[in-house]
Structures are given as structure tokens and as C-alpha cells.
Amino acid sequence: MSQVLLRAGSLALIIVVGICLNTFGIVGEDTGAGIKKILINITLPCAIITNFAGIEDMSAAMLLVSAVGLVMNVLMIVVGVVASRGLPKGEQAMNILCMPGYNIGAFYLPFVQSFLPAIGTVTACMLDVGNSVMCTGITYAFAAEYVSEEHHGFDLVSFGKRLIRSAPLVTYVAMFLISIMGLRLPEALLTLIEPAAKANSFVAMLMLGLLFHLELKPEYLQKVGKVLVVRNALAVIFAFVVYRFLPLELAIRQTMVLLCFAPLSAVAPAYTGMCGGDEGMASCINSLSIVCSLVAITGLITVLGIQA
């Protein structure tokens, strides 16, 4: 319990630092936007490469795990589209981007490493393949195209261009192919990018703090509450299906159950702003989802009797 609270506290502290830097004018108003670009184009791709380098088992079971991560995101995108019909474009983008996606690298992996056997870390990384292919590229490309004012209908060519311009997505696809082929990256390269990869958690949380914006207006609270309620309701459904019906060993299923309650992806607020949505509100959803995840995952670890 103390390890869980300490890790969550360290993440919360970074967010608080970002809030203070912004509130007291220590940094400029555009600092958050600059940090966002660093996250998406530098630290996150480096973290993806590093995580993949540690995966040695690409069995059929692990490929199934990756596929589940992708399917969960697709289903949540569909729910986001349905739930946002008739809303302004910015709110549509927020719902589509903030309902799917999981923060695995910066928040979830520490839980896995502390409470599950080694297979848990491999499972989490493979889940992050399907998850990150969606939340670091495809979900954004879809949301941007869906709310675009430039044309009517869905333009596949424009959609494809958005995908290609996503540095995290391109990195994930490249590393997935490298792993499938059984190739290994040079240790020298991994050593060079290691500092940037390790900085990803800090950069992600600092970005959330710099972009944090909490409005206590009733209409704001309703929108934030709606996304969180839908996310957690879907998490319960996904967790039940994964635990009861997937033909995988217990440790893998336990890892996947915990993941269902992981917080929102750290890049969702950034992509929300890029699509014309309220970046501050998305950041608020992200921050509150961390609190919800801490409670849910801690409770599940206790109820399931999970031990490393």
C-alpha cells in the first residue's frame, strides 16, 4: 500500500509543481504548448523504443494481449462518438479523445512491477502496443478528421496524412515490426536515448500541471463527470470479460484487469487542444482519472490477492 501511495504521490507532486509554475507566472503561458511538443516528438517515442527493447516474448498469447488493447480503444471511441452527437466540435473532440486510451508507461507500469511477476511487465508492454497505436496516433487522426470544418465526410487521404505525421505512432509501428522479425536494436542506441525515455513520466505529468485548468461551473463538472463515469463503467465491463473469458494464464489476466482501470493517456489533453477542444478540461479529466485509478487499482490488488 505504501509503495502505491508513494508512486501516486510522486506523480501528483509533479502535477502540482506544474500548476504552481503556471499560477505564479514563473513560466510563460505558452510553456505548456512547448512541453507538449517535447512529449509527443521526443520523450514519448524514446520511451516507446526503450519499452519495446525489453520485450523478449512475442508469443501468440502476447499478440492476443496487444489486440485486446487495440479493440478496447476502438470500442471506447465508438462510445465517445455516440455520446457526443449534437455537441459542439470541441466537445466532440474531447469525448472522442478522453474516453479511450490508457496511461501505461507513466502510471500503470509501476503498479505492475511492484505487485505482479515478470510476466506482468511483458503483458503491460504488449497491451501498450495496441493501446498506444490508438491513443498516440489513430485516435487523434480520427478525432481531427471527424471534427474538421474543412470538408464534409471522412477523408481517408487526410486521415492517412495525420497518421504519418504522428511521431509516437510511427515509432510504435516500426518497433512492433522490428520485434516481430526478432531483431534487436544496438545497445549504444538504447543508451543514447535512455535519458529522454526516463524523462517521459516527468514531462508528461509536468505538462498536465501546466495545462491544468479547473472550472467549478456546473456545466463543466457535468462534462467531466460524464467522461469519468463512462470510462469507469466500461472498465468494469472490460475487466469482467477479460478475467472470465480470455484463455490466458492468471497473471496475464490479472495484469489486464488492472489495466482496465488505468488513467487516461497523458497525451489526450494535448491532442484535445490540437483538435480545438478545451485542453484545460481534458487535463482536469486526466488528473481526476489518476485519483480514480489509484483507488480502483489499489482495491483490486487487495481483492484479487495479487502478489509478485
Side-chain angles (χ1 to χ4, degrees):
M1 177 69 74
S2 61
Q3 289 179 316
V4 174
L5 294 177
L6 185 61
R7 177 60 184 180
S10 68
L11 295 175
L13 180 60
I14 299 172
I15 295 175
V16 171
V17 169
I19 294 173
C20 292
L21 290 174
N22 193 34
T23 300
F24 295 109
I26 299 175
V27 297
E29 294 182 0
D30 59 345
T31 302
I35 296 294
K36 174 175 62 180
K37 293 178 181 178
I38 292 174
L39 172 75
I40 293 176
N41 295 297
I42 300 177
T43 63
L44 183 54
C46 288
I48 292 170
I49 294 172
T50 301
N51 287 337
F52 258 97
I55 298 177
E56 298 179 355
D57 181 8
M58 290 295 283
S59 64
M62 290 296 102
L63 294 177
L64 173 60
V65 167
S66 180
V68 170
L70 190 148
V71 170
M72 288 168 60
N73 274 268
V74 170
L75 292 175
M76 295 172 82
I77 290 172
V78 172
V79 172
V81 169
V82 173
S84 61
R85 284 182 176 176
L87 296 177
K89 295 291 186 180
E91 291 184 33
Q92 289 181 353
M94 186 185 72
N95 279 287
I96 294 172
L97 288 162
C98 291
M99 286 189 182
Y102 301 95
N103 186 339
I104 295 179
F107 184 92
Y108 179 65
L109 273 179
F111 287 90
V112 176
Q113 293 167 340
S114 298
F115 295 99
L116 288 167
I119 188 65
T121 300
V122 176
T123 301
C125 288
M126 289 307 299
L127 270 166
D128 206 16
V129 174
N131 170 66
S132 291
V133 162
M134 295 299 297
C135 68
T136 63
I138 294 179
T139 304
Y140 161 67
F142 173 81
E145 193 62 30
Y146 187 81
V147 302
S148 176
E149 299 282 3
E150 296 178 3
H151 45 71
H152 300 285
F154 194 83
D155 189 335
L156 287 176
V157 174
S158 179
F159 176 75
K161 289 180 179 179
R162 294 182 194 276
L163 292 182
I164 295 173
R165 289 196 294 263
S166 171
L169 177 60
V170 171
T171 304
Y172 248 112
V173 172
M175 291 305 300
F176 184 75
L177 293 176
I178 289 173
S179 298
I180 288 291
M181 292 185 290
L183 302 177
R184 304 289 296 178
L185 293 178
E187 286 297 326
L189 173 62
L190 297 177
T191 300
L192 286 173
I193 67 172
E194 183 180 7
K198 288 184 175 180
N200 185 64
S201 296
F202 178 82
V203 172
M205 295 301 107
L206 183 64
M207 181 193 73
L208 293 179
L210 290 171
L211 298 176
F212 188 87
H213 179 66
L214 181 61
E215 289 281 353
L216 299 179
K217 298 177 182 178
E219 60 269 26
Y220 272 39
L221 294 178
Q222 182 181 5
K223 294 169 185 176
V224 170
K226 174 184 175 182
V227 173
L228 292 175
V229 167
V230 171
R231 274 186 63 90
N232 285 284
L234 289 172
V236 172
I237 296 172
F238 290 155
F240 175 78
V241 172
V242 164
Y243 195 78
R244 292 295 301 273
F245 299 110
L246 286 188
L248 301 169
E249 63 179 271
L250 179 60
I252 295 177
R253 286 184 284 121
Q254 288 177 333
T255 303
M256 297 174 74
V257 166
L258 296 182
L259 173 93
C260 292
F261 294 90
L264 177 64
S265 167
V267 298
Y271 284 146
T272 297
M274 291 179 184
C275 292
D278 190 326
E279 200 164 337
M281 188 184 300
S283 180
C284 179
I285 293 172
N286 197 316
S287 301
L288 291 175
S289 75
I290 292 176
V291 177
C292 294
S293 296
L294 174 60
V295 174
I297 293 177
T298 303
L300 283 168
I301 289 172
T302 303
V303 171
L304 296 176
I306 296 175
Q307 296 181 352

